[in-house]
Amino acid sequence: MENIPQEDREWHHLSADAICDLLSSDPKNGLTPEEAEQRLRRFGANTLTAKKSMNAWLRFLLQFNQPLIYILIAAGVITAALQEWVDSGVIFGVVLVNAIIGYIQESKAESALAALADTMVAGATVLRNGEKKRIPSAELVPGDIVLLQAGDKVPADLRLLNFRDLQVDESALTGESVSVEKSVAALEQGTVLAERRNMVYASSMVTYGQGSGIVTAIGDRTEMGRISELISSAQDLATPLTRKIAHFSHILLYAILVLAAATVVVGMLRGQPLFDMFMAAVALAVGAIPEGLPAAVTITLAIGVSRMAKRRAIIRKLPAVETLGSTTVICSDKTGTLTENQMTVQAIMAGDVHYEVSGAGYAPLGRIVRLDDGDNADNTALSECLRAGVLCNDSLLLEKEGTWYVQGDPTEGALLASAAKGGFNRKEVETQRPRIDSIPFESQHQYMATLHDRGASTPRMVYVKGAVEQILAKCTSAMDIDGNTVPLDSGKINHDVSRMAARGLRVLAFARVKVPADTKTLYHEDVDTGLTFLGLQGMIDPPRAEAVAAVRICKIAGIDIKMITGDHPVTAAAIAGQIGITSAVIDDPEKPEVFTGRMLEKLSDDELKTVTEKINVFARATPEQKIRLVRALQANGHVVAMTGDGVNDAPALKQANIGVAMGITGTDVSKEAADMVLTDDNFSSIEAAVEEGRGVFDNLTKFIVWTLPTNLGEGLVILTAIFLGITLPILPVQILWINMTTAGFLGLMLAFEPKEPGIMQRQPRNPDMPILTGDLIARIFLVGTLLLFGAFGLFQWELARGASIEEARTVAVNTFVIMELFYLFNCRSLTKSIFHLGFFTNMWVFGGVAIMIFIQLGYTYLPLMNRLFQSAAIDAASWVRIVSAGLVTFVVVEVEKRIRSSR
């Protein structure tokens, strides 16, 4: 008991007897109940330790921990101090709504570990005191002998002791496309996880056969537990948007403090009353704060979420929308993401004739087409090869709601689909040649054989399928296209196998032999020799047709695609070549096209950063290596999107800037670790999401470029008045009116702006670039200056005409609003003319303009509004001057855009 190792994870290199000795267990009788109870107390339950979740109230409070929210809270406090309770209530309402939306979006972000723990809740059949006993999997302990059969979920990590035809689906853990055939022989110590044939791991599924194993690890010490630790260690990264807005907000905070202090100092030096200077500083601070920006960011992202949902991408965290638009690298899993996750026969050789098989997946749709220019007449060898695939088969193809799936082994499902494409109906074939007996597939023999009746007094037929080397060794002849027996050319067949394998195809061979009509039982001796070779079928989990187009579009958009899979290197290279991730498979060891997990193990972090820039395909990658690859890319400055559907993908999904899980085939663990879930499991939906993400960033930038000149203009108006020693042209409450109403009814309409043409033809945005380029900053200062001249100039004009201070201020307020209204049309495109874009392509803008004009008329002429905001009615001549200022702004900005675009 004391000698039981707790940390050794490489049980596969030890013999079964040695492990039983180490774990003090009897393989025939198992543990005694007393020993099991003692070990349960020592090692604990076979469950994953749940991560302590953050308190709901703390998660909610953290929604306020953002610089822009600080600015809004400051604005609310200032307006409350000014006893402007309505405005203060509106601002605090915006803060509260923003926090609630963020809380709802992120409340499930840390639930990946809980979902992972759920995957390990099951029952287990064990030997205790020599008796079979069904117990909860949580009660398993190291040294328990567990019995497995088809349909079982493996309850812990086991070293196999005995097996019969045992096959296990480990795709969620390793990325292997097909069920893995198991054995009990000891392996080399450095064998990678995906090739440990004598081990089975917690949460994998037994698809075929039966076996028994000894528990080597439970709970957190299982491979599942290790993945759980990796998920916990993965960092939650700030998105490009949150980083840039945080940086911008800090700069804005410092600028406000400096200008407010300067206002008070200058006023005091001029001998003006301290109270007046304090109120002027408050007005300046309120004017400089873009109160509508946090709400605009949230709403724009929410609109992006809605648009993406229509394109089959569900966003779990709002900032992920924009992150997609900044993505520079997409790291994609292979199985089920870039591929169909359905084995498909693509090549057949029968009668020394080669065929290509069209169609993908288990759907019996497609054709078998001869590749050479020979006669396309019936090929008896082909018919027999397809028939063998149907009869020597224990699986079923089923259809549900238009989707075909296999009940049984994926390889056998592929054979049934290829036969259907060749015109074979399974029921008819089985009726014509009913099965009498069979030899099931066993790992040590590497073949399956079935005996079939062909009618009274007719020799019965045995069909055999299996590994090429095993079948060829039993064959003494081959069948030609006419059904005649010809000499077997093993060299030619092996050459054909090599060509198929180079394409990443898994190749099976088929043969037959006649036996006497009275044969009722099939023995291995019956198929040891004398078989007639029928042909080869090569299959692969094929790439999705849409993925090929999506990869091409992403490359045009400047986004690198990297495949990171647990599958075999040859298969990964073949799929990568077909999809377009790599141009070709290169066999030069000095310049490998594919890096394996073993190669990655030898690299330092600095070496890995270099490799990730040059290599696009990584095979046999473990969960730890997937995280290392993502971190290496991030260290190189990339914004990384990681796609995947398996449990083994979850840690990397959480580490990536944006994790993308598959909604149909994806495990709950991968979905909970991801920022986005694709409802159709289609890689092409990622390209659509990237496109929407770029559109969202464009619209956010347009809003910022539109709103900041207002704040700048208001600040300049206040500063000018202070330096000239005259009364303020606009009051703090009037500034709040301008900022809140225009942001809501004008600026937010930019969130509905459709994507501009060519959005996927430009390179990804540099993650280190600020939101505002030099040209856009120059435009902000240009328009801010125009607002200063327009509002301050018309304010002075009205006073010179003899207007009251209330009327002059009303003109100044309306000048700000109308100039913003015209400038809104400039901002619908930051580089192109509105007339080139299409004047009526965003009708939301016209709705917002109509509402803004309506409420501005109310502000000007309603007595209640006059009392609340110290406004007054103005005449038609004033409106003409105001509208003229707006037109001048529009024309100047359009000319500026034209000048910049012609450079």
Side-chain angles (χ1 to χ4, degrees):
M1 182 61 182
E2 294 301 323
N3 295 326
I4 295 177
Q6 299 183 50
E7 298 301 330
D8 184 9
R9 297 188 188 278
E10 294 198 347
W11 299 90
H12 58 274
H13 71 279
L14 301 174
S15 68
D17 290 341
I19 291 175
C20 289
D21 289 341
L22 276 172
L23 295 175
S24 302
S25 182
D26 184 346
K28 295 182 179 179
N29 297 308
L31 301 174
T32 65
E34 294 77 19
E35 177 68 13
E37 181 64 29
Q38 190 177 358
R39 294 189 184 191
L40 183 62
R41 285 196 300 270
R42 177 182 174 186
F43 296 109
N46 179 34
T47 57
L48 296 179
T49 303
K51 181 181 177 182
K52 291 183 179 179
S53 59
M54 187 183 296
N55 289 332
W57 63 268
L58 182 58
R59 188 186 298 280
F60 180 72
L61 288 179
L62 285 176
Q63 302 300 318
F64 299 93
N65 187 28
Q66 303 172 40
L68 275 179
I69 299 300
Y70 297 157
I71 295 175
L72 274 182
I73 292 173
V77 171
I78 291 170
T79 51
L82 294 171
Q83 298 186 356
E84 299 296 336
W85 308 116
V86 173
D87 298 296
S88 180
V90 169
I91 293 173
F92 283 121
V94 169
V95 171
L96 186 61
V97 168
N98 189 69
I100 291 172
I101 292 174
Y103 174 79
I104 292 173
Q105 288 290 332
E106 297 181 11
S107 61
K108 293 183 178 180
E110 300 300 325
S111 57
L113 295 180
L116 191 59
D118 289 342
T119 67
M120 297 188 67
V121 176
T125 302
V126 299
L127 282 178
R128 293 273 173 91
N129 247 2
E131 296 180 358
K132 290 184 182 180
K133 187 177 182 182
R134 187 76 176 169
I135 64 171
S137 63
E139 297 179 10
L140 284 175
V141 296
D144 257 326
I145 305 300
V146 177
L147 306 179
L148 300 171
Q149 61 183 3
D152 285 350
K153 177 182 282 189
V154 179
D157 287 2
L158 311 177
R159 169 62 160 89
L160 291 174
L161 303 176
N162 296 290
F163 75 101
R164 180 175 176 81
D165 311 329
L166 185 66
Q167 297 181 25
V168 180
D169 179 3
E170 297 177 343
S171 60
L173 187 65
T174 66
E176 187 75 51
S177 302
V178 297
S179 295
V180 180
E181 300 163 6
K182 293 297 180 178
S183 67
V184 296
L187 303 170
E188 293 182 10
Q189 188 162 357
T191 305
V192 297
L193 184 92
E195 296 174 0
R196 295 177 188 173
R197 298 293 189 248
N198 58 10
M199 297 288 297
V200 290
Y201 296 101
S203 295
S204 54
M205 294 293 297
V206 178
T207 59
Y208 193 81
Q210 56 190 3
S212 66
I214 184 169
V215 175
T216 58
I218 61 170
D220 292 336
R221 294 192 180 96
T222 63
E223 289 297 322
M224 275 292 174
R226 194 159 53 85
I227 291 175
S228 173
E229 293 172 10
L230 290 173
I231 295 175
S232 297
S233 67
Q235 303 170 4
D236 287 319
L237 301 176
T239 70
L241 177 68
T242 55
R243 287 198 303 267
K244 290 168 188 171
I245 288 185
H247 179 67
F248 167 74
S249 300
H250 282 113
I251 292 175
L252 191 59
L253 275 173
Y254 299 143
I256 290 171
L257 291 174
V258 170
L259 289 175
T263 299
V264 174
V265 171
V266 169
M268 290 177 64
L269 291 175
R270 294 180 60 87
Q272 293 177 299
L274 180 61
F275 178 79
D276 289 348
M277 288 303 94
F278 175 75
M279 292 304 295
V282 167
L284 179 64
V286 170
I289 295 172
E291 290 89 353
L293 184 56
V297 169
T298 300
I299 293 171
T300 303
L301 291 175
I303 292 170
V305 168
S306 176
R307 287 180 173 177
M308 288 186 181
K310 294 177 181 176
R311 302 186 73 171
R312 304 181 187 279
I314 304 300
I315 300 296
R316 297 184 63 247
K317 299 178 184 178
L318 275 180
V321 178
E322 181 274 332
T323 310
L324 270 168
S326 303
T327 298
T328 58
V329 174
I330 298 176
C331 295
S332 178
D333 182 41
K334 179 187 73 66
T335 307
T337 307
L338 291 167
T339 65
E340 297 279 359
N341 201 18
Q342 296 183 345
M343 293 298 289
T344 305
V345 173
Q346 291 190 337
I348 299 175
M349 190 283 289
D352 203 21
V353 178
H354 292 267
Y355 298 86
E356 285 290 327
V357 185
S358 61
Y362 298 128
L365 304 173
R367 297 173 58 225
I368 299 175
V369 181
R370 184 168 176 167
L371 290 181
D372 58 26
D373 296 327
D375 186 5
N376 204 29
D378 290 341
N379 181 339
T380 304
L382 173 64
S383 297
E384 281 297 284
C385 183
L386 295 173
R387 182 177 285 110
V390 174
L391 295 174
C392 199
N393 198 308
D394 288 327
S395 299
L396 294 173
L397 278 186
L398 303 172
E399 182 185 17
K400 184 178 181 181
E401 298 178 354
T403 301
W404 288 85
Y405 65 96
V406 64
Q407 182 176 300
D409 183 72
T411 299
E412 293 189 335
L415 297 175
L416 293 175
S418 69
K421 294 170 186 176
F424 286 88
N425 179 285
R426 178 184 181 128
K427 290 184 178 179
E428 292 180 2
V429 173
E430 290 180 339
T431 300
Q432 295 167 359
R433 300 190 180 184
R435 183 187 294 189
I436 305 301
D437 194 19
S438 67
I439 298 174
F441 181 90
E442 294 179 328
S443 299
Q444 63 266 38
H445 295 120
Q446 292 289 305
Y447 69 84
M448 174 183 179
T450 53
L451 173 65
H452 298 271
D453 185 28
R454 298 194 299 164
S457 303
T458 304
R460 288 180 169 172
M461 188 71 74
V462 177
Y463 287 100
V464 187
K465 78 163 191 279
V468 175
E469 58 273 18
Q470 293 292 330
I471 302 301
L472 282 182
K474 300 175 184 298
C475 292
T476 55
S477 62
M479 180 180 289
D480 66 12
I481 61 174
D482 298 318
N484 300 318
T485 299
V486 297
L488 179 71
D489 188 347
S490 297
K492 174 67 168 56
I493 293 171
N494 282 319
H495 177 70
D496 292 335
V497 171
S498 298
R499 289 175 56 190
M500 288 187 183
R503 295 169 52 188
L505 299 180
R506 183 186 186 194
V507 185
L508 292 180
F510 299 83
R512 74 175 197 181
V513 64
K514 295 177 182 178
V515 295
D518 60 352
T519 304
K520 295 181 179 180
T521 305
L522 194 59
Y523 298 99
H524 289 288
E525 294 77 11
D526 296 324
V527 292
D528 264 351
T529 187
L531 274 61
T532 299
F533 177 79
L534 300 175
L536 306 170
Q537 294 196 49
M539 63 192 70
I540 197 171
D541 179 14
R544 294 175 180 268
E546 319 89 79
V548 178
V551 167
R552 184 175 63 253
I553 292 173
C554 286
K555 285 193 170 185
I556 292 172
I559 301 170
D560 284 337
I561 310 295
K562 297 187 184 294
M563 179 192 292
I564 305 177
T565 178
D567 213 340
H568 194 280
V570 175
T571 306
I575 294 295
Q578 292 177 40
I579 289 177
I581 293 176
T582 58
S583 56
V585 178
I586 300 175
D587 295 323
D588 184 355
E590 298 298 322
K591 297 180 179 179
E593 190 81 358
V594 180
F595 254 61
T596 64
R598 287 184 178 178
M599 297 165 71
L600 292 174
E601 285 176 356
K602 301 173 184 177
L603 300 178
S604 67
D605 289 344
D606 287 338
E607 290 172 331
L608 186 60
K609 286 194 287 186
T610 302
V611 166
T612 55
E613 293 298 309
K614 299 177 180 179
I615 301 298
N616 289 329
V617 183
F618 300 89
R620 287 290 191 238
T622 66
E624 294 97 332
Q625 290 167 343
K626 289 184 179 184
I627 278 194
R628 279 194 71 203
L629 287 166
V630 171
R631 286 176 176 164
L633 288 165
Q634 290 169 336
N636 287 338
H638 289 291
V639 176
V640 181
M642 173 75 190
T643 77
D645 61 352
V647 173
N648 61 324
D649 298 318
L653 290 176
K654 192 165 184 285
Q655 174 65 41
N657 299 88
I658 177 163
V660 184
M662 304 297 112
I664 299 174
T665 59
T667 60
D668 287 343
V669 182
S670 65
K671 293 175 190 175
E672 294 297 339
D675 303 284
M676 182 175 82
V677 179
L678 304 182
T679 61
D680 61 352
D681 286 15
N682 197 328
F683 185 86
S684 64
S685 296
I686 301 172
E687 179 272 320
V690 169
E691 184 179 338
E692 292 293 344
R694 289 188 175 189
V696 165
F697 191 90
D698 281 358
N699 290 348
L700 282 173
T701 305
K702 291 172 185 176
F703 177 87
I704 293 171
V705 172
W706 173 84
T707 195
L708 289 187
T710 304
N711 303 109
L712 176 63
E714 290 165 344
L716 290 174
V717 166
I718 299 299
L719 285 173
T720 301
I722 292 168
F723 277 95
L724 294 179
I726 63 174
T727 187
L728 295 179
I730 45 177
L731 299 173
V733 69
Q734 293 170 338
I735 291 174
L736 281 171
W737 168 266
I738 294 170
N739 291 354
M740 299 304 291
T741 57
T742 56
F745 297 115
L746 295 181
L748 275 181
M749 300 306 108
L750 292 173
F752 298 96
E753 196 66 35
K755 296 180 294 294
E756 293 187 33
I759 198 169
M760 289 299 284
Q761 270 74 56
R762 64 195 194 204
Q763 295 297 298
R765 186 180 181 86
N766 187 334
D768 297 325
M769 266 185 77
I771 296 176
L772 301 176
T773 63
D775 287 350
L776 294 180
I777 292 173
R779 183 176 302 166
I780 288 169
F781 276 96
L782 171 64
V783 178
T785 303
L786 291 174
L787 285 167
L788 166 65
F789 285 123
F792 193 84
L794 290 181
F795 171 77
Q796 291 295 102
W797 183 298
E798 293 297 323
L799 289 178
R801 289 178 63 233
S804 67
I805 189 67
E806 288 80 12
E807 290 172 338
R809 283 173 171 162
T810 302
V811 168
V813 169
N814 279 304
T815 300
F816 265 102
V817 171
I818 297 303
M819 290 179 75
E820 283 185 77
L821 187 153
F822 277 93
Y823 181 50
L824 180 70
F825 288 94
N826 297 121
C827 288
R828 288 189 55 202
S829 174
L830 299 178
T831 56
K832 300 182 180 67
S833 167
I834 181 63
F835 301 104
H836 178 271
L837 192 67
F839 208 77
F840 299 101
T841 52
N842 182 3
M843 296 305 295
W844 288 90
V845 168
F846 293 95
V849 165
I851 295 173
M852 192 69 239
I853 292 173
F854 179 78
I855 64 171
Q856 203 58 34
L857 290 173
Y859 170 91
T860 305
Y861 296 108
L862 290 179
L864 175 63
M865 301 294 282
N866 296 154
R867 287 195 301 273
L868 288 174
F869 293 97
Q870 301 180 46
S871 60
I874 58 177
D875 58 22
S878 298
W879 281 112
V880 170
R881 287 186 287 273
I882 290 169
V883 173
S884 298
L887 280 170
V888 168
T889 303
F890 176 80
V891 171
V892 169
V893 175
E894 285 298 304
V895 170
E896 182 259 354
K897 282 197 285 187
R898 175 64 65 88
I899 292 172
R900 291 191 185 278
S901 64
S902 63
R903 287 188 311 187

